[in-house]
Amino acid sequence: MSNTRFATALHILTLLADAKGEWLSSDWIAGSINIHPVIVRKELGVLNDAGLVLSRKGKEGGFTLAVGSEDITMDAIYLAIKNSNVLGKKNNQPNPKCPIGKDINEKLDVLFTGIDNSVVRELSGKTLADFVSEFH
Amino acid sequence: MSNTRFATALHILTLLADAKGEWLSSDWIAGSINIHPVIVRKELGVLNDAGLVLSRKGKEGGFTLAVGSEDITMDAIYLAIKNSNVLGKKNNQPNPKCPIGKDINEKLDVLFTGIDNSVVRELSGKTLADFVSEFH
DNA sequence: TTAAGTGTAATAATTTTTGTTACATTAATG
DNA sequence: CATTAATGTAACAAAAATTATTACACTTAA
């Protein structure tokens, strides 16, 4: 992954966990990460769809965690934002006339999925609460 | 990773393993993957630096494996081409005045490195020979 | 000496990612 | 009930990363 989506999502969730029930605005969060508030709202939309946060519109609106930080594991965050395989992309049109090229993408699929799953398994062993507790 | 470097490198190495000592040209390899020969030569340069292949210049030149495919583990291929963390990039300038923003990047570093290592560990359990044997 | 390769720099094109603007909508509050 | 401060989201712009292409110096076999 050469994007900042996991780092951004985890930063957001860490702030929300640290806020202990306070509703934080996208502007405030953006100020901590130092990115554009619209990006924060977009990512919060994704986290909302994943059931990790709640949002409230209008004045005094904002965001808060949907569940306790002990109940949010890192794999849930990762799966919410994941948009590619750990080992990257496959080449588009390997040569169908080549015995290797013909079948390589299905073999890569198996390998890529296995590695993706191992990352998810690894991430499932750590909670947001664990991460937040490292800040003191 | 949103690039095709691992897929390309593994495709190259699979062809070389399958060729059993024949020297293959970058043009021929490019034809199987269906990408530009210059990209193949660049990637082969990287694999050469990593000690995985041998190259020969001039007429009748080309590439071959430097060691047997049973002795090439997937982690060696991955480490040769890896240029980012599995969990992506960190945000550049988190706010130093925020208690979370101040320290988040060093905490992310630890998490990111741990996940990277787990992927390498996972990949170390599979050889190029294992992969090639899936094609029949 | 020619033909067929590698090695690599420079640059262009494409795709992905991030940032920005604009504005409709929502809700609290004086 | 008007004002203020939020979210939600589309459309677009800018920047960064990735891939493709061109060009050519160099190498080696025959």
Side-chain angles (χ1 to χ4, degrees):
Chain A
M1 276 209 304
S2 32
N3 64 40
T4 53
R5 293 188 62 202
F6 184 82
T8 298
L10 183 51
H11 192 144
I12 291 171
L13 293 168
T14 300
L15 292 171
L16 294 179
D18 196 51
K20 297 182 198 308
E22 296 274 307
W23 292 70
L24 305 182
S25 74
S26 60
D27 259 65
W28 192 89
I29 293 170
S32 169
I33 310 178
N34 223 323
I35 60 175
H36 203 281
V38 171
I39 296 180
V40 172
R41 292 205 287 276
K42 278 182 193 161
E43 211 61 78
L44 275 159
V46 170
L47 297 173
N48 188 37
D49 291 346
L52 300 177
V53 303
L54 299 175
S55 83
R56 200 162 62 180
K57 295 181 184 175
K59 194 168 178 180
E60 303 292 292
F63 303 87
T64 194
L65 288 186
V67 299
S69 61
E70 330 74 37
D71 295 323
I72 297 180
T73 48
M74 292 284 173
D75 64 317
I77 305 170
Y78 178 66
L79 289 172
I81 62 92
K82 167 173 157 66
N83 64 353
S84 64
N85 296 110
V86 169
L87 295 177
K89 294 188 298 189
K90 294 178 278 293
N91 286 106
N92 282 329
Q93 312 284 350
N95 191 338
K97 297 192 183 143
C98 167
I100 303 299
K102 184 167 78 64
D103 292 337
I104 195 157
N105 277 356
E106 43 180 281
K107 309 301 184 193
L108 287 178
D109 262 332
V110 175
L111 177 61
F112 283 17
T113 301
I115 296 297
D116 284 358
N117 289 342
S118 79
V119 167
V120 170
R121 204 178 317 124
E122 191 78 16
L123 286 169
S124 69
K126 188 159 191 174
T127 67
L128 177 59
D130 293 333
F131 187 73
V132 174
S133 74
E134 294 174 18
F135 298 80
H136 52 271
Chain B
M1 277 211 301
S2 32
N3 65 38
T4 55
R5 292 189 61 201
F6 184 83
T8 298
L10 184 51
H11 192 144
I12 291 171
L13 292 169
T14 300
L15 292 171
L16 294 179
D18 196 51
K20 296 183 198 311
E22 296 275 307
W23 291 71
L24 305 182
S25 74
S26 60
D27 258 66
W28 192 89
I29 294 169
S32 169
I33 310 178
N34 224 323
I35 60 173
H36 203 280
V38 171
I39 296 179
V40 172
R41 291 206 287 278
K42 276 184 194 159
E43 211 61 79
L44 274 159
V46 170
L47 297 173
N48 188 36
D49 292 346
L52 301 177
V53 304
L54 299 176
S55 83
R56 200 162 62 181
K57 294 180 183 176
K59 196 168 178 181
E60 304 292 293
F63 304 87
T64 194
L65 289 187
V67 299
S69 60
E70 329 75 37
D71 295 323
I72 296 179
T73 48
M74 293 284 175
D75 64 317
I77 305 170
Y78 177 66
L79 289 172
I81 62 91
K82 168 173 158 61
N83 66 352
S84 64
N85 296 111
V86 169
L87 296 178
K89 294 188 298 189
K90 294 178 278 293
N91 287 106
N92 282 329
Q93 312 284 350
N95 191 338
K97 296 192 182 142
C98 167
I100 303 298
K102 184 167 78 68
D103 292 336
I104 195 158
N105 277 355
E106 44 181 280
K107 309 300 184 192
L108 288 178
D109 261 332
V110 175
L111 177 61
F112 284 17
T113 300
I115 296 298
D116 284 357
N117 289 342
S118 80
V119 166
V120 169
R121 205 178 316 123
E122 192 79 16
L123 286 169
S124 69
K126 187 159 193 175
T127 68
L128 177 58
D130 294 334
F131 187 73
V132 174
S133 74
E134 295 175 18
F135 298 82
H136 52 273

